[in-house]
Coordinates of all heavy atoms in Angstrom, one line a residue:
L370 N 81.1 93.1 117.7 CA 81.2 92.8 116.3 C 80.0 92.1 115.8 O 79.6 91.1 116.4 CB 82.5 92.0 116.0 CG 83.8 92.7 116.2 CD1 85.0 91.8 116.0 CD2 84.0 93.9 115.3
E371 N 79.6 92.4 114.6 CA 78.4 91.8 114.0 C 78.6 91.8 112.5 O 79.0 92.9 111.9 CB 77.2 92.5 114.5 CG 75.9 91.9 114.0 CD 74.7 92.7 114.5 OE1 74.6 93.9 114.2 OE2 73.8 92.1 115.2
I372 N 78.2 90.8 111.8 CA 78.1 90.8 110.3 C 76.7 90.9 109.9 O 75.8 90.1 110.4 CB 78.7 89.4 109.8 CG1 80.2 89.4 110.1 CG2 78.4 89.3 108.3 CD1 80.9 88.0 109.8
I373 N 76.4 91.9 109.0 CA 75.0 92.1 108.6 C 75.1 92.4 107.1 O 76.1 92.5 106.5 CB 74.3 93.3 109.3 CG1 75.1 94.6 109.0 CG2 74.2 93.0 110.8 CD1 74.4 95.8 109.4
S374 N 73.9 92.4 106.5 CA 73.8 92.9 105.1 C 72.7 93.9 105.1 O 71.8 93.8 105.9 CB 73.6 91.8 104.1 OG 72.3 91.3 104.2
T375 N 72.8 94.9 104.2 CA 71.7 95.9 104.1 C 71.2 95.9 102.6 O 72.0 95.5 101.7 CB 72.1 97.3 104.5 OG1 73.2 97.7 103.6 CG2 72.5 97.4 105.9
A376 N 70.0 96.3 102.4 CA 69.4 96.3 101.0 C 69.7 97.7 100.4 O 69.8 98.7 101.1 CB 67.9 96.1 101.1
N377 N 69.8 97.7 99.1 CA 69.9 98.9 98.3 C 71.0 99.8 98.9 O 72.1 99.3 98.9 CB 68.5 99.6 98.3 CG 67.4 98.7 97.8 OD1 67.6 98.1 96.7 ND2 66.3 98.6 98.5
Q378 N 70.7 101.0 99.3 CA 71.8 101.9 99.8 C 71.6 102.1 101.3 O 72.1 103.1 101.8 CB 71.9 103.2 99.0 CG 72.4 103.0 97.6 CD 73.8 102.4 97.4 OE1 74.5 102.2 98.4 NE2 74.2 102.1 96.2
D379 N 70.8 101.3 101.9 CA 70.6 101.5 103.4 C 71.9 101.5 104.2 O 72.7 100.6 103.9 CB 69.6 100.5 103.9 CG 68.2 100.6 103.4 OD1 68.0 101.6 102.6 OD2 67.4 99.8 103.7
S380 N 72.0 102.4 105.1 CA 73.3 102.5 105.9 C 73.1 101.9 107.3 O 72.0 102.2 107.9 CB 73.7 104.0 106.0 OG 74.7 104.1 107.0
P381 N 74.0 101.2 107.8 CA 74.0 100.8 109.2 C 73.9 101.9 110.2 O 73.5 101.7 111.3 CB 75.2 100.0 109.4 CG 75.8 99.7 108.0 CD 75.3 100.7 107.1
L382 N 74.4 103.1 109.7 CA 74.3 104.2 110.6 C 72.9 104.6 111.0 O 72.7 105.0 112.2 CB 74.9 105.5 109.9 CG 76.4 105.4 109.5 CD1 76.8 106.6 108.6 CD2 77.3 105.4 110.8
S383 N 72.0 104.3 110.1 CA 70.6 104.6 110.4 C 70.0 103.7 111.5 O 68.9 103.9 112.1 CB 69.7 104.5 109.1 OG 70.2 105.4 108.2
A384 N 70.6 102.5 111.7 CA 70.3 101.6 112.7 C 71.1 101.7 114.0 O 71.1 100.8 114.8 CB 70.3 100.1 112.2
G385 N 71.9 102.8 114.0 CA 72.7 103.0 115.2 C 74.0 102.2 115.3 O 74.6 102.0 116.3
K386 N 74.3 101.5 114.1 CA 75.5 100.7 114.1 C 76.7 101.4 113.5 O 76.6 102.4 112.8 CB 75.2 99.4 113.3 CG 74.1 98.6 114.0 CD 73.7 97.4 113.2 CE 72.5 96.7 113.9 NZ 72.1 95.5 113.3
I387 N 77.9 101.0 113.9 CA 79.2 101.6 113.5 C 79.8 100.7 112.4 O 80.3 99.6 112.7 CB 80.2 101.7 114.7 CG1 79.4 102.2 115.9 CG2 81.4 102.6 114.3 CD1 79.6 103.5 116.4
P388 N 79.9 101.2 111.2 CA 80.6 100.4 110.1 C 82.1 100.3 110.3 O 82.7 101.3 110.6 CB 80.2 101.2 108.9 CG 79.2 102.2 109.2 CD 79.3 102.4 110.7
L389 N 82.6 99.1 110.1 CA 84.0 98.9 110.1 C 84.6 98.5 108.8 O 85.7 98.9 108.4 CB 84.4 97.8 111.2 CG 84.0 98.0 112.6 CD1 84.4 96.8 113.5 CD2 84.6 99.3 113.2
L390 N 83.8 97.6 108.1 CA 84.2 97.1 106.8 C 82.9 96.9 106.0 O 81.9 96.5 106.6 CB 84.9 95.7 107.0 CG 85.2 94.9 105.8 CD1 86.3 95.5 105.0 CD2 85.7 93.5 106.2
T391 N 83.0 97.1 104.7 CA 81.9 96.8 103.9 C 82.3 96.3 102.5 O 83.4 96.5 102.0 CB 81.0 98.1 103.7 OG1 79.7 97.6 103.2 CG2 81.6 99.1 102.8
L392 N 81.3 95.7 101.8 CA 81.5 95.2 100.4 C 80.2 95.5 99.7 O 79.1 95.1 100.1 CB 81.8 93.7 100.4 CG 81.9 93.1 99.0 CD1 83.0 93.8 98.1 CD2 82.1 91.6 99.0
D393 N 80.4 96.2 98.6 CA 79.3 96.6 97.7 C 78.9 95.3 96.8 O 79.8 94.8 96.1 CB 79.8 97.7 96.7 CG 78.7 98.3 95.9 OD1 77.6 97.6 95.7 OD2 78.9 99.4 95.3

Side-chain angles (χ1 to χ4, degrees):
L370 289 175
E371 183 179 57
I372 291 167
I373 60 168
S374 70
T375 59
N377 303 313
Q378 296 295 355
D379 290 357
S380 168
L382 296 170
S383 304
K386 298 177 182 183
I387 318 251
L389 303 178
L390 172 68
T391 194
L392 176 60
D393 189 342

